[in-house]
């Protein structure tokens, strides 16, 4: 009944005999065989009409049915074998005649042979069943289909390092990866190059990685949504230092210094003409005279189109000398009348720095002042010389200039009174030049004069002299003379 051959046992009315159909003669042949030893399968004769009963003996093999019209959908890689089936057009192939056999697709499922990306991949379908009145006479072969597994899109992402300004746009990455991979898939993001948008210092600068590609055990199942990726990072200023030179100066009682040159150390070769050190105030460590004195520059800044890419971390100190200033010591001019002692000699100072005075300059000691004139020197001008003496100063050297002592000729002297006291002492008074020491002389004949003593005129010019030598009462003439 299923289209397959089967054995026939043909029984005659004579149960002791067996007959089989001979295809060569188209006649039934009567042969006695041992039970079960029948020759090739036979069919009913086509030449005679016989009254025989035909009995079947054996197994009926189910007929194989196939299915068409089931398709599998393409899918994006999901690391699973599962396939989505379209069973709307599913059709059984091979059902005989009017047999009632129904194909059931409700439990149908499909699986790719492998989960990896590929085109025309085999999908094995399972879960199809048949039902109906004649379903038991059939065997259903589960069909196959083909479909594509396409690349799954993943998003590249990078994390860029901050960097110190180096004059270029090259960037380095701390991390590079993709998002969107499945499970434990091993996928590596490879970066061709990474670069900042510009070379200049700034925060949150765009860093772009380009020429991206994928590798790794599962890399072939993915495709990059973009072959570039961006991130933000900073370029920070490059630290540089400054240097300067200053001029030596004479002592001026302040610390200010004059800058001669300014230079920078650490500037990149391409920027040497685009950044410079400017401004600032230079000061010596103190105002005093010295060699190789430390000078500090404060407030200096960077100037130029590349200045923003650098940070002035320090300015090295310089050295210069402060030289002593000459202080001129001049003996003050003096004057006195003839016969007086020399006045106290003094000196004046010129050349103090700034607003300094003798009291604030640090000058100590005093000059050595002298003159050759004595109280007996005749009227005239006499030099007053000045020398170092005990003078000392940190910030000054000394030079000296002479002064002049003028000795004035004596003025008129008038004897105002001559009195013989009761004790025979002769007293006389006079008016002359204040401070002048006068010599009193006496004579008995106006020819020969004998000095008998001195008298100094007071501040009002008055002087008084007493001749206490009573043995010379015969003196009758007196006169006043300069010593």
């Amino acid at each position: 009944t299923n289209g397959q051959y089967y054995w026939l046992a043909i029984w005659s009315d004579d149960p002791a005999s067996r007959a089989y159909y001979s295809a060569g003669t188209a006649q039934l042949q009567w042969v006695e065989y041992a039970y079960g030893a029948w020759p090739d399968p036979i069919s009913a004769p086509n030449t005679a009409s016989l009254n025989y009963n035909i009995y079947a003996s054996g197994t009926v093999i189910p007929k194989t049915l196939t299915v068409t019209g089931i398709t599998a959908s393409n899918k994006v890689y999901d690391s699973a074998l599962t396939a989505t089936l379209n069973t709307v057009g599913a059709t059984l192939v091979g059902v005989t005649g009017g047999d009632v056999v129904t194909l059931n697709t409700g439990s149908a499922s499909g699986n790719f042979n492998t989960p990896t990306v590929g085109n025309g991949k085999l999908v094995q379908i399972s879960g199809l069943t048949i039902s109906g009145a004649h379903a038991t006479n059939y065997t259903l072969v589960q069909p196959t289909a083909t479909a594509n597994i396409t690349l799954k899109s993943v998003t590249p992402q990078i994390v860029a390092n901050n960097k110190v300004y180096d004059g270029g746009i090259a960037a380095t990455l701390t991390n590079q990866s993709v998002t969107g991979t499945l499970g434990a898939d091993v996928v590596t993001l490879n970066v061709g190059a990474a670069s900042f948008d510009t070379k200049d210092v700034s925060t949150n600068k765009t860093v772009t990685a380009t020429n991206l590609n994928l590798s790794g055990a599962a890399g072939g199942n993915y495709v990059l949504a973009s072959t570039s990726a961006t991130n933000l990072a900073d370029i920070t200023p490059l630290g540089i230092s400054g240097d300067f030179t200053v001029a030596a100066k004479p002592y001026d009682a302040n610390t200010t210094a004059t800058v001669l040159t300014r230079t920078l150390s650490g500037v990149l070769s391409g920027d040497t003409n685009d950044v410079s050190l400017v401004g600032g105030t230079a000061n010596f460590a103190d105002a005093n005279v010295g060699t190789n004195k430390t000078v500090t520059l404060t407030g200096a800044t960077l100037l130029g189109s590349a200045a923003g890419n650098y940070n002035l971390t320090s300015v090295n100190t310089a050295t210069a000398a402060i030289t002593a200033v000459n202080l001129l010591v001049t003996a003050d001019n003096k004057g006195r009348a003839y016969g007086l002692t020399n006045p106290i000699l003094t000196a004046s100072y010129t050349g103090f720095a700034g607003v300094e005075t003798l009291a604030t300059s640090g000058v100590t000691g005093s000059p050595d002042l002298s003159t050759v004139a004595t109280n007996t020197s005749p009227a005239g001008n006499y030099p007053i010389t000045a020398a170092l003496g005990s003078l000392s100063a940190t910030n000054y050297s000394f030079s000296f200039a002479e002064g002049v002592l003028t000795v004035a000729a004596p003025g008129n002297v008038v004897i105002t009174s001559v009195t013989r006291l009761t004790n025979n002492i002769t007293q006389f008074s006079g008016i002359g030049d204040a401070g002048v020491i006068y010599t009193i002389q006496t004579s008995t004949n106006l020819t020969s004069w004998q000095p008998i003593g001195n008298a100094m005129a007071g501040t009002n010019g008055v002087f008084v002299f007493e001749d206490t030598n009573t043995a010379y009462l015969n003196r009758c003439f007196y006169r006043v003379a300069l010593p």
Side-chain angles (χ1 to χ4, degrees):
T1 60
N2 62 0
Q4 301 295 319
Y5 290 109
Y6 51 88
W7 290 100
L8 291 178
I10 304 174
W11 299 88
S12 72
D13 291 336
D14 181 1
S17 298
R18 303 291 190 272
Y20 71 93
Y21 174 78
S22 174
T25 62
Q27 300 291 323
L28 286 174
Q29 302 294 321
W30 297 96
V31 180
E32 186 173 342
Y33 285 97
Y35 178 79
W38 295 99
D40 292 337
I42 62 175
S43 62
N46 57 10
T47 60
S49 176
L50 301 174
N51 261 337
Y52 286 94
N53 293 321
I54 300 175
Y55 295 89
S57 174
T59 301
V60 177
I61 299 172
K63 184 178 181 180
T64 299
L65 299 180
T66 60
V67 178
T68 62
I70 297 178
T71 60
S73 299
N74 297 332
K75 73 170 184 178
V76 175
Y77 171 75
D78 60 3
S79 77
L81 295 172
T82 306
T84 300
L85 301 178
N86 181 357
T87 62
V88 173
T91 302
L92 278 172
V93 177
V95 177
T96 301
D99 281 0
V100 178
V101 181
T102 301
L103 177 64
N104 302 311
T105 61
S107 298
S109 63
N111 285 290
F112 286 92
N113 58 342
T114 65
T116 56
V117 166
N119 293 325
K121 292 178 67 71
L122 181 67
V123 177
Q124 184 64 54
I125 300 171
S126 63
L128 296 173
T129 62
I130 54 176
S131 63
H134 302 96
T136 56
N137 293 321
Y138 295 91
T139 297
L140 181 63
V141 175
Q142 299 292 322
T144 61
T146 60
N148 302 334
I149 298 179
T150 58
L151 297 168
K152 185 179 188 306
S153 179
V154 289
T155 302
Q157 60 182 14
I158 60 171
V159 178
N161 283 316
N162 296 332
K163 77 168 185 176
V164 176
Y165 174 74
D166 60 7
I169 62 173
T172 59
L173 305 180
T174 59
N175 186 57
Q176 54 205 60
S177 60
V178 292
T179 59
T181 57
L182 301 173
D185 279 1
V186 177
V187 179
T188 301
L189 177 65
N190 303 306
V191 176
S195 58
F196 284 89
D197 51 357
T198 68
K199 69 176 183 176
D200 296 319
V201 166
S202 184
T203 58
N204 293 323
K205 292 177 67 68
T206 299
V207 175
T208 302
T210 56
N211 298 327
L212 306 182
N213 61 77
L214 298 175
S215 63
N221 296 315
Y222 295 91
V223 62
L224 287 168
S226 171
T227 57
S228 64
T230 61
N231 188 233
L232 299 178
D234 301 340
I235 297 181
T236 56
L238 174 64
I240 56 176
S241 61
D243 294 279
F244 67 103
T245 60
V246 295
K249 71 169 186 177
Y251 174 73
D252 58 5
N254 63 65
T255 61
T256 58
T258 300
V259 177
L260 297 176
T261 63
R262 295 174 177 84
T263 57
L264 291 170
S265 298
V267 175
L268 300 179
S269 59
D271 292 337
T272 52
N273 294 325
D274 298 322
V275 61
S276 58
L277 182 66
V278 298
T281 301
N283 285 280
F284 286 90
D286 58 64
N288 295 324
V289 166
T291 58
N292 294 322
K293 293 181 68 67
T294 299
V295 182
T296 302
L297 182 66
T298 58
T301 57
L302 300 177
L303 180 67
S305 60
N309 294 322
Y310 294 92
N311 176 36
L312 184 62
T313 57
S314 64
V315 177
N316 298 317
T317 58
T319 58
I322 297 179
T323 57
V325 173
N326 183 68
L327 199 61
L328 177 62
V329 182
T330 303
D332 294 330
N333 293 330
K334 297 290 183 178
R336 64 171 176 83
Y338 170 80
L340 297 181
T341 57
N342 291 332
I344 295 174
L345 301 180
T346 59
S348 298
Y349 301 80
T350 55
F352 286 111
V355 296
E356 284 192 340
T357 64
L358 181 62
T360 62
S361 65
V363 174
T364 60
S366 59
D368 184 8
L369 302 171
S370 62
T371 181
V372 295
T374 65
N375 61 348
T376 60
S377 297
N381 293 326
Y382 298 87
I384 302 174
T385 59
L388 183 63
S390 61
L391 284 176
S392 177
T394 300
N395 300 316
Y396 294 94
S397 60
F398 299 98
S399 61
F400 303 93
E402 293 182 343
V404 176
L405 173 64
T406 299
V407 177
N412 294 326
V413 179
V414 177
I415 296 176
T416 57
S417 65
V418 177
T419 304
R420 181 65 59 86
L421 301 179
T422 57
N423 56 1
N424 290 326
I425 293 175
T426 301
Q427 181 187 68
F428 59 91
S429 301
I431 298 176
D433 295 322
V436 174
I437 299 173
Y438 294 100
T439 299
I440 310 303
Q441 298 176 343
T442 185
S443 175
T444 58
N445 54 16
L446 295 177
T447 300
S448 176
W449 294 92
Q450 177 69 35
I452 59 173
N454 297 319
M456 177 179 289
T459 56
N460 57 1
V462 174
F463 62 90
V464 176
F465 178 80
E466 291 182 349
D467 183 4
T468 60
N469 190 346
T470 57
Y472 298 98
L473 292 178
N474 59 341
R475 295 174 182 166
C476 56
F477 302 105
Y478 292 90
R479 70 178 183 184
V480 176
L482 291 173

